[in-house]
Amino acid sequence: MLTKRIISGITVAGGQVKTGVNFTNLQGSGDPVEIAKRSEKDSADELFFINIPGTPQKQSDLTNMVEKVSTVVFMPLTVGYEVQSVDEVAALLKAGADRILLHEIPLANPQLVTDIARRYGSETVVAAINAKYDADSDRYMVFGHSGTKPTDLDAVQLAQRMAHAGAGELLVTSIDQNGSQSGFNLELYRRVCAAVHLPVIASGGAGSAMDFVQVFTETPVTAALAGTAFVSGETTIQQVKAACRQHDVLVR
């Protein structure tokens, strides 16, 4: 049985960490470097450092921030950015990123996913899928533009396309649960995991250690990410790992 990963997610805009609910009402929550240090100290297995799509951020500014973060953490660092070329990926990897999280690109330019995977390997590419439940169709529909613009794709369709394009892993975020700290959307992950053989990271809704236990024991996801819960300090990674061990979930 594979060891489950606990991921700390830091979303940034304008050089500050931001948290919100359902991708809205974003509030400043601190300095990215300091929060990255806290995640390192708390024994996160990986850090996702995500520039919020659609927010002003020069590539050079983000690269500088990635360099600063990479000097204070020794866990794997995945950086999310609206890259437009393979060369931009090269700059982020040179700055200290281990992997690149592609958000918006899976929708706008699937070929770029393939190009990056061919250049750097599928293990370098994490494709982001932001989905919201539609009761009329009983599907989880994909939303672009930071979760504000509906598309005609559902999460399963986009997951299959990304697997075909060469992505090595999927970050699947429930817009309905995002920032709510009310638990992960289990049905969403069951459907996506059943449709692809790629590892899937659950995101959106983590509020307690038991939420992680539940998503690991009731779905096939290989990792789970929390932003608000870890940034606020209301739940710690150590607490999550202790609860997982108590319920026979293998963690590092």
Side-chain angles (χ1 to χ4, degrees):
M1 184 181 295
L2 291 176
T3 300
K4 304 294 187 179
R5 289 147 47 221
I6 312 299
I7 299 173
S8 176
I10 298 176
T11 54
V12 297
Q16 288 292 308
V17 175
K18 300 288 185 177
T19 56
V21 179
N22 309 130
F23 285 24
T24 62
N25 300 319
L26 299 176
Q27 304 293 323
S29 300
D31 176 68
V33 176
E34 292 304 313
I35 292 176
K37 287 180 182 178
R38 191 195 309 165
S39 297
E40 176 79 26
K41 185 177 181 180
D42 201 24
S43 301
D45 296 318
E46 188 171 356
L47 177 66
F48 270 49
F49 187 82
I50 307 168
N51 187 72
I52 298 173
T55 58
Q57 179 74 63
K58 293 181 180 179
Q59 166 93 23
S60 58
D61 292 341
L62 179 65
T63 301
N64 290 337
M65 194 176 298
V66 170
E67 288 177 343
K68 291 178 182 179
V69 170
S70 68
T71 62
V72 299
V73 301
F74 299 96
M75 61 184 144
L77 174 61
T78 296
V79 176
Y81 184 63
E82 294 176 88
V83 297
Q84 301 300 317
S85 69
V86 176
D87 289 340
E88 288 185 351
V89 171
L92 292 170
L93 294 175
K94 185 177 180 180
D98 296 290
R99 303 197 296 167
I100 303 299
L101 171 69
L102 300 177
H103 42 52
E104 306 301 329
I105 298 306
L107 285 169
N109 187 3
Q111 182 60 45
L112 184 56
V113 176
T114 301
D115 293 343
I116 296 169
R118 286 175 176 169
R119 174 79 65 88
Y120 297 106
S122 293
E123 66 277 5
T124 305
V125 180
V126 183
I129 298 175
N130 301 320
K132 185 180 181 68
Y133 184 66
D134 179 70
D136 291 336
S137 64
D138 187 32
R139 296 194 298 167
Y140 290 91
M141 302 307 297
V142 175
F143 278 63
H145 294 271
S146 299
T148 61
K149 186 176 180 180
T151 73
D152 59 357
L153 285 174
D154 66 26
V156 168
Q157 289 175 316
L158 186 55
Q160 291 170 331
R161 289 189 183 185
M162 288 302 97
H164 180 73
E169 190 164 25
L170 303 175
L171 173 69
V172 181
T173 301
S174 167
I175 297 173
D176 299 299
Q177 304 297 103
N178 177 260
S180 68
Q181 300 189 62
S182 60
F184 291 100
N185 191 325
L186 304 180
E187 182 60 22
L188 170 60
Y189 303 115
R190 293 188 186 110
R191 294 189 190 188
V192 173
C193 289
V196 296
H197 295 296
L198 293 180
V200 173
I201 303 166
S203 171
S208 70
M210 287 306 299
D211 290 336
F212 286 84
V213 172
Q214 185 179 39
V215 77
F216 287 143
T217 56
E218 297 187 27
T219 80
V221 299
T222 57
L225 177 151
T228 302
F230 291 158
V231 169
S232 68
E234 295 177 16
T235 301
T236 69
I237 295 164
Q238 293 285 11
Q239 289 171 342
V240 170
K241 291 190 173 183
C244 285
R245 293 187 184 104
Q246 289 173 2
H247 291 81
D248 298 323
V249 177
L250 292 180
V251 292
R252 298 176 184 176

